[in-house]
Amino acid sequence: MTATDRSVELINAAAQAAADKLAHDVVAYDVSDVLAITDVFLLASAPNDRQVKAIVDAVEEHLLKEHGAKPVRREGEREGRWVLLDYIDIVVHVQHSEERVYYGLERLWKDCPELPLPEDARATHGKAAQARAQAEAEDGR
């Protein structure tokens, strides 16, 4: 089984919204063959809690306005370190960069196919590493 057309449509819209809010390392995995509860996971990260919240708000707003999709569950918003938006067909994970490294969801889903995303979302790959390197360079001054 593969992700439905609706899931791919939603994941592309969510990825674009995340990229528009400067998310780091946006990636989508088709988990439909290994999970019965959803088709696609979208992972995105940000260097601080405020940006995590901005990305989550942008994804939620865009999917509602443009696609009529509303999450059935939203978890982790209070802490702002890892927010999960469950749309049944897709699940969006927006994590603080530190949580992303620690939990390593990519390792869990590495055997699942990665879905192609819009160019803006693909351009976010490696942004977290660049931000860490820049922060380390500034600390070393």
Side-chain angles (χ1 to χ4, degrees), residues 42-96:
L42 181 74
L43 309 178
S45 55
N48 60 64
D49 300 357
R50 179 176 277 168
Q51 192 173 356
V52 167
K53 183 174 177 3
I55 293 165
V56 167
D57 289 346
V59 168
E60 198 169 18
E61 181 179 324
H62 185 74
L63 290 182
L64 181 61
K65 281 186 178 180
E66 301 298 322
H67 301 277
K70 187 174 183 178
V72 295
R73 191 174 68 187
R74 184 178 185 164
E75 294 185 11
E77 183 180 16
R78 190 174 336 159
E79 295 82 21
R81 305 284 296 176
W82 182 349
V83 180
L84 179 145
L85 298 173
D86 183 353
Y87 288 89
I88 298 177
D89 294 333
I90 70 167
V91 175
V92 178
H93 298 269
V94 183
Q95 298 174 294
H96 190 286

Side-chain angles (χ1 to χ4, degrees), residues 5 22 38 52 74 76 81 97 99 103 122 134 137:
D5 291 342
L22 307 178
T38 193
V52 167
R74 184 178 185 164
R81 305 284 296 176
S97 298
E99 268 69 10
Y103 288 101
R122 287 193 312 271
Q134 182 178 357

Side-chain angles (χ1 to χ4, degrees), residues 18-50:
D20 289 347
K21 287 296 179 181
L22 307 178
H24 294 170
D25 302 317
V26 179
V27 63
Y29 293 102
D30 182 339
V31 296
S32 61
D33 283 341
V34 294
L35 291 177
I37 57 171
T38 193
D39 283 349
V40 183
F41 278 168
L42 181 74
L43 309 178
S45 55
N48 60 64
D49 300 357
R50 179 176 277 168

